[in-house]
């Protein structure tokens, strides 16, 4: 079954299809939503303005403008620092490192709320898939808050989003805090990334997988699931306090203020990527159906080093056209067997968290080989000594550039 198509991106999709060297790289955004599909675009735009501080429109009634303005003043300070310390240096280096002709589909396992990094690493992306334990969240609650609740909810969001805007990733304990409450953590993180990079949301709908393809929830689906709470995806996580309907979502967005800009698609899946949840799942089918992809991961708790995550590791090795990671990416013992070449940047003396000794030794040997390639920004975890580092993993033969139309 072919992946869905967004009407607003049809012209762009046809242009990509005309030059793409293989069907697997042809963008196939979702089809127009039937009128019965539950549409949460208005709620996304409200969160974008009030929580993520995107846009310059007046704060909508009945929200207290002073509370929102104070929140956004703090957020804007963080945006400036984040752009200076991460976005700008990362964009400058990656423009010299990233090969031409990469697929426009991006897959980011263990990605949390980090849509912003996917767009920094892959500025030509047309479809981004992130996967993590966290649910997207309920977008409807913000409008129900009174003045006191609004202040408290925005304060908590600033506390939690700090990890993303300071360290370029977020600690698990912080992510768990927003699995409950009025501000949906993952969705608000995604919208914050759009605000930082100058995009705006134009659509939001929720889905489940029907085989390899998304099936978008209707208003009737959302109503029927209203009393069914979304459950934790891992035993050590937390159950949410919102409906199961708000588990996986598709966010459409484009360059802010440009109605002619192509519409891009981001889908987030709440899933446990351990083998007992991923191997043989509809999510695995969905990812495989994309063909070759641009991939990335960082701050992933060294899960790709473990035997219990072999399924997602094998998927990445079999489908990546190019991958960027920190040391939580694919260990050399697996990469070599898959015919992949790894190129390190920065310094690495040992894993940030306790992890396998053999893989640590292999990564130390990899980073010790000349030449040394400097790195001026943090990408995921530092190493055990606080050094920043980054890793490119790619097939031995680089992907060919698409022919000139």
């Amino acid at each position: 079954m072919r992946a869905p198509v967004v009407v607003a991106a049809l012209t762009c999709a046809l242009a990509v299809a005309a030059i793409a060297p293989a069907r697997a790289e042809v963008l196939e955004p979702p089809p127009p939503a039937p009128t019965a599909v539950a549409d949460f675009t208005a709620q996304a735009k409200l969160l974008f303005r009030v929580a993520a501080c995107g846009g310059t429109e007046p704060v909508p009634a009945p929200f207290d403008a002073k509370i929102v303005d104070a929140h956004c003043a703090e957020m804007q300070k963080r945006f400036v620092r984040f752009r200076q310390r991460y976005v700008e240096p990362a964009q400058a280096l990656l423009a010299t490192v990233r090969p031409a002709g990469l697929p426009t589909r991006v897959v980011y396992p263990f990605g949390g709320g980090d849509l912003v990094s996917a767009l920094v690493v892959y500025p030509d992306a047309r479809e981004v898939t992130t996967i993590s334990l966290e649910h997207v969240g309920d977008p409807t609650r913000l409008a129900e808050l009174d003045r006191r609740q609004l202040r408290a909810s925005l304060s908590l969001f600033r506390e939690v989003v700090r990890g993303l805007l300071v360290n370029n990733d977020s600690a698990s304990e912080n992510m768990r805090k927003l699995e409950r409450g009025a501000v949906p953590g993952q969705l608000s993180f995604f919208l914050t990334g759009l605000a930082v990079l100058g995009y705006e949301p134009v659509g939001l709908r929720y889905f489940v997988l029907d085989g390899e393809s998304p099936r978008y929830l209707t208003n009737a689906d959302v109503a029927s699931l209203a009393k069914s709470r979304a459950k934790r995806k891992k035993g050590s996580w937390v159950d949410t306090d919102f409906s199961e309907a708000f588990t996986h979502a598709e966010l459409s967005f484009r360059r802010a203020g440009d109605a002619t800009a192509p519409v891009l698609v981001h889908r987030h899946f709440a899933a446990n990527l351990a083998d007992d949840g991923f191997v043989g799942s509809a999510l695995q089918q969905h990812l495989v159906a994309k063909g070759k992809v641009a991939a990335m991961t960082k701050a992933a708790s060294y899960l790709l080093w473990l035997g219990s995550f072999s399924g997602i590791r094998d998927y990445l090795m079999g489908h990546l056209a190019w991958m960027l990671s920190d040391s939580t990416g694919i260990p050399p013992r697996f990469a070599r067997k898959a015919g992949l070449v790894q190129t390190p940047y920065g310094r690495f003396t040992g894993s940030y968290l306790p992890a396998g000794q053999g893989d640590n030794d292999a990564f130390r040997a990899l980073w010790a080989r000349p030449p040394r390639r400097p790195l001026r920004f943090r990408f995921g975890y530092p190493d055990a000594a606080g050094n920043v580092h980054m890793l490119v993993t790619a097939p031995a033969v680089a992907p060919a550039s698409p022919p000139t139309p």
Side-chain angles (χ1 to χ4, degrees), residues 3-14 27-33 126-127 202-203 205 216 250-253 262-267:
V5 179
V6 177
V7 165
L10 182 57
T11 302
C12 177
L14 292 174
L27 176 64
E28 297 178 0
R126 291 295 177 264
E127 177 191 287
V202 296
R205 49 188 178 172
Y216 299 97
E250 178 183 285
L251 177 66
S252 302
F253 59 98
V263 173
L264 313 181
V265 174
H266 168 235
R267 295 191 191 98

Side-chain angles (χ1 to χ4, degrees), residues 3-166:
V5 179
V6 177
V7 165
L10 182 57
T11 302
C12 177
L14 292 174
V16 173
I19 64 172
R23 180 182 180 275
E25 296 186 11
V26 177
L27 176 64
E28 297 178 0
T35 55
V37 168
D39 185 357
F40 293 94
T41 304
Q43 291 85 352
K45 290 182 177 181
L46 188 63
L47 280 162
F48 181 68
R49 176 64 185 91
V50 174
C53 300
T56 58
E57 297 83 0
V59 176
F63 293 101
D64 188 310
K66 290 183 179 180
I67 293 175
V68 176
D69 288 345
H71 164 69
C72 288
E74 289 300 314
M75 290 286 283
Q76 290 298 333
K77 292 176 185 177
R78 297 179 188 184
F79 290 179
V80 171
R81 290 194 297 268
F82 182 71
R83 293 185 190 107
Q84 292 173 342
R85 297 178 183 179
Y86 176 58
V87 175
E88 293 168 6
Q91 288 175 333
L93 175 63
L94 293 175
T96 69
V97 171
R98 185 179 51 247
L102 290 176
T104 58
R105 286 180 169 140
V106 175
V107 173
Y108 184 178
F110 315 107
D114 194 23
L115 173 60
V116 64
S117 285
L119 297 173
V120 169
V121 173
Y122 297 111
D124 296 327
R126 291 295 177 264
E127 177 191 287
V128 176
T129 298
T130 56
I131 312 161
S132 72
L133 293 169
E134 296 83 21
H135 304 72
V136 174
D138 184 347
T140 66
R141 295 180 172 184
L142 188 71
E144 301 171 356
L145 300 183
D146 62 27
R147 190 172 184 275
R148 178 186 61 80
Q149 293 169 330
L150 177 65
R151 180 183 285 111
S153 295
L154 294 180
S155 176
L156 176 61
F157 178 65
R158 286 197 305 278
E159 173 192 337
V160 175
V161 81
R162 180 180 182 278
L164 179 68
L165 296 178
V166 173

Side-chain angles (χ1 to χ4, degrees), residues 303-319:
L303 297 176
L304 290 175
W305 295 25
L306 304 179
S308 54
F309 285 82
S310 63
I312 185 63
R313 184 177 60 238
D314 289 346
Y315 161 75
L316 288 169
M317 291 190 297
H319 292 83

